[in-house]
Amino acid sequence: MTKIQNIKGMRDHLPQAMLLRQHIVGVLTQVAERHGFEPLQTPVVEYAEALEGKLGDDEKLIYRFEDHGGRRLALRYDQTVPLARVVAQYAGQLALPWRRYAYGPSYRGERPARGRYREFYQFDVDIVGSNAPLADAEIVAVLTESLEALGFPGFTTLLNHRQVIGGIARASGLDEAAAGGVYRAIDKFDKLGADGVREELLRSGVAPGAADQILALVQTNGDPGDVLEELSGRLAADARAVAALENLRAVVAGLVEMGVAPERYRVAPRLARGLSYYTGLVFEAITPHWPEGSLLGGGRYDELIGQFAGRPIPTVGLAFGIDRLHDVMEELGLGPRSSTTARAYVTIFGPGQAAASLALARELRAGGVNTLIALDIAAGLGKQLKEADRKGVRFALVLGPDELARGEVIVKDLRGDGQRSVPRTAVLELLRGE
Ligand code: AMP
């Protein structure tokens, strides 16, 4: 017999993990909807052609296959390319600017590692059809509110603009063709450190003097206002960089006006972001509790949708990596730890009490309390209570002949708070309350 196993880099999630994941997605949905984002769902499979030519070097990570009809198909790599297709395909039905959110699995043929999988879930929020800096700021505000609502400690969002890095490359005497190598080298800054990036730059053909200048510029540090000011001075001769810095200044002003706490973001000229379709703002949220990589990332991509729609449609968005949020929350002990959905367990004392117990369970459910019932009456009360405890349910309820006669129910708090006899009419209120 072949070994029973799941596919490498693709995970099963048992109930306790699923409850945490559903909690994360629930919080993200709530924050997105509070900002008026609307849900979108697209298939997991797209025409391979739709994905090709959009991802740069990462294109090799696409899962491609042929279906029974000989079509060249691909598993979606992210939620962004499908969004671009949808905007082009349903142009007449979507009122722009359109705020949408989407949740589902994406697939990449990466080398699996902690926090890096081949099947992983992303929750995306995007604002389609606006180039206003306030749209960029709103996306960063949504991400900040979301991570705060999930209870993440000490996270920061790094902000940069593609044309700031372009400007740094140009100011160091490099042409457009060399800029790609510069993005790729700088993208590895957190992994390789300054020396590693320097080596990488030299390897991609950058002269030592230019490499040193690039490194000095990308390490500019301080308050957003100071960093922008310093870079404006150093890149004053480059019109595109000047415009990019102006744009970043407007985004930061938006963040201030939206009340995003200043410790939650920084301007970080070293941030490149891997995907090639970004055209403006790029950002990534990081936390010292997860040195392996970013919690999530995103940016402005004003041209991608145009590749489908035939006209540029400015868009800004982000993808929360649910698996990373999940891994970090698990490690930090954030969010729910339970493996059961039930709050109450109704025992069945004996065949003569079954109807009354089941009626009680029905009543509790109707009142909004998730309730398990005993199935094996013959097992006796002791075994039923043990099952309730093993499940991690908070309350076990007993309705024996004496309780039935008195119109009461025994409520056992399985978290160690003993038991009490409660009038049957008060049980629902009690379970709801505690
Ligand atoms: P990207 O689509 O590359 O911009 O990634 C957005 C977010 O998705 C990242 O910040 C991660 O949180 C998550 N992510 C990307 N690739 C993976 C992966 N291979 N495994 C798990 N999460 C991923």
Side-chain angles (χ1 to χ4, degrees):
M1 200 179 117
T2 49
K3 197 169 146 206
I4 298 173
Q5 60 185 344
N6 57 336
I7 292 164
K8 201 171 161 211
M10 304 198 181
R11 300 195 288 174
D12 298 311
H13 300 294
L14 298 184
Q16 185 167 341
M18 270 316 289
L19 287 171
L20 175 57
R21 293 168 78 82
Q22 287 179 5
H23 165 76
I24 296 170
V25 173
V27 167
L28 299 184
T29 304
Q30 209 172 37
V31 174
E33 291 190 352
R34 215 171 275 146
H35 283 257
F37 285 72
E38 298 163 2
L40 172 72
Q41 185 170 300
T42 62
V44 158
V45 181
E46 292 278 346
Y47 283 108
E49 196 180 285
L51 271 67
E52 287 161 358
K54 279 109 194 160
L55 302 168
D57 278 355
D58 288 345
E59 192 161 313
K60 59 181 184 297
L61 302 180
I62 297 174
Y63 275 99
R64 278 175 257 237
F65 62 99
E66 204 170 275
D67 77 353
H68 296 80
R71 295 171 199 87
R72 273 194 343 107
L73 305 180
L75 295 183
R76 76 170 163 230
Y77 175 94
D78 62 13
Q79 305 257 17
T80 310
V81 170
L83 170 67
R85 176 183 60 71
V86 162
V87 172
Q89 201 172 328
Y90 302 90
Q93 295 174 48
L94 301 169
L96 304 183
W98 179 40
R99 290 171 176 82
R100 76 91 217 218
Y101 70 90
Y103 168 62
S106 295
Y107 298 85
R108 298 182 191 179
E110 310 211 52
R111 186 128 51 102
R114 205 162 85 109
R116 192 167 67 224
Y117 306 101
R118 289 179 170 165
E119 178 188 70
F120 56 97
Y121 282 70
Q122 291 182 313
F123 185 104
D124 282 35
V125 292
D126 295 86
I127 303 179
V128 181
S130 169
N131 58 13
L134 260 191
D136 302 63
E138 181 165 39
I139 291 291
V140 176
V142 166
L143 109 74
T144 308
E145 284 167 37
S146 300
L147 294 184
E148 280 175 351
L150 288 170
F152 271 90
F155 68 89
T156 316
T157 300
L158 307 179
L159 308 170
N160 197 15
H161 191 293
R162 261 291 151 86
Q163 282 308 326
V164 169
I165 304 186
I168 289 173
R170 290 187 293 272
S172 310
L174 299 172
D175 60 11
E176 268 325 295
V182 175
Y183 295 149
R184 279 191 292 278
I186 294 175
D187 199 31
K188 297 182 188 149
F189 198 99
D190 290 330
K191 221 182 292 169
L192 304 179
D195 292 343
V197 171
R198 187 171 190 278
E199 270 171 42
E200 189 95 349
L201 286 169
L202 298 182
R203 218 171 304 137
S204 76
V206 176
D212 289 336
Q213 185 168 351
I214 289 169
L215 278 169
L217 285 170
V218 299
Q219 289 182 89
T220 313
N221 225 326
D223 282 346
D226 298 341
V227 174
L228 291 170
E229 175 119 9
E230 162 126 29
L231 288 172
S232 297
R234 304 255 219 140
L235 303 175
D238 188 291
R240 274 181 287 172
V242 168
L245 290 163
E246 209 40 60
N247 177 257
L248 270 181
R249 206 168 275 126
V251 173
V252 168
L255 290 173
V256 173
E257 285 161 3
M258 285 181 178
V260 178
E263 69 272 17
R264 289 299 187 209
Y265 56 90
R266 272 200 325 258
V267 172
R270 70 166 197 278
L271 178 72
R273 302 262 316 122
L275 293 176
S276 58
Y277 51 58
Y278 291 117
T279 53
L281 175 78
V282 286
F283 57 85
E284 227 166 68
I286 54 166
T287 159
H289 303 288
W290 186 261
E292 279 87 352
S294 65
L295 287 172
L296 58 97
R300 176 166 280 288
Y301 49 102
D302 285 348
E303 282 150 26
L304 179 70
I305 294 182
Q307 292 186 28
F308 292 85
R311 66 192 166 101
I313 298 181
T315 300
V316 59
L318 78 86
F320 290 96
I322 300 301
D323 296 83
R324 285 198 195 160
L325 296 182
H326 173 180
D327 289 354
V328 182
M329 286 181 72
E330 213 162 51
E331 209 161 293
L332 301 183
L334 303 174
R337 301 239 78 57
S338 172
S339 60
T340 180
T341 52
R343 181 162 169 79
Y345 181 105
V346 176
T347 59
I348 301 182
F349 194 87
Q353 291 75 36
S357 283
L358 296 176
L360 175 63
R362 201 164 59 241
E363 221 171 88
L364 293 176
R365 292 179 188 132
V369 175
N370 294 353
T371 303
L372 275 170
I373 50 164
L375 296 173
D376 187 1
I377 305 175
L381 206 55
K383 276 206 171 138
Q384 295 177 24
L385 289 173
K386 215 174 258 167
E387 189 199 357
D389 193 36
R390 221 177 40 230
K391 278 271 157 215
V393 173
R394 172 84 191 267
F395 296 104
L397 308 182
V398 181
L399 253 179
D402 295 350
E403 287 74 37
L404 266 175
R406 287 201 305 269
E408 293 187 339
V409 176
I410 295 177
V411 178
K412 279 175 168 293
D413 187 336
L414 297 175
R415 301 248 176 90
D417 206 12
Q419 68 176 54
R420 53 189 146 158
S421 211
V422 178
R424 170 154 180 169
T425 46
V427 173
L428 177 61
E429 221 37 54
L430 178 77
L431 296 201
R432 264 190 186 152
E434 287 184 31

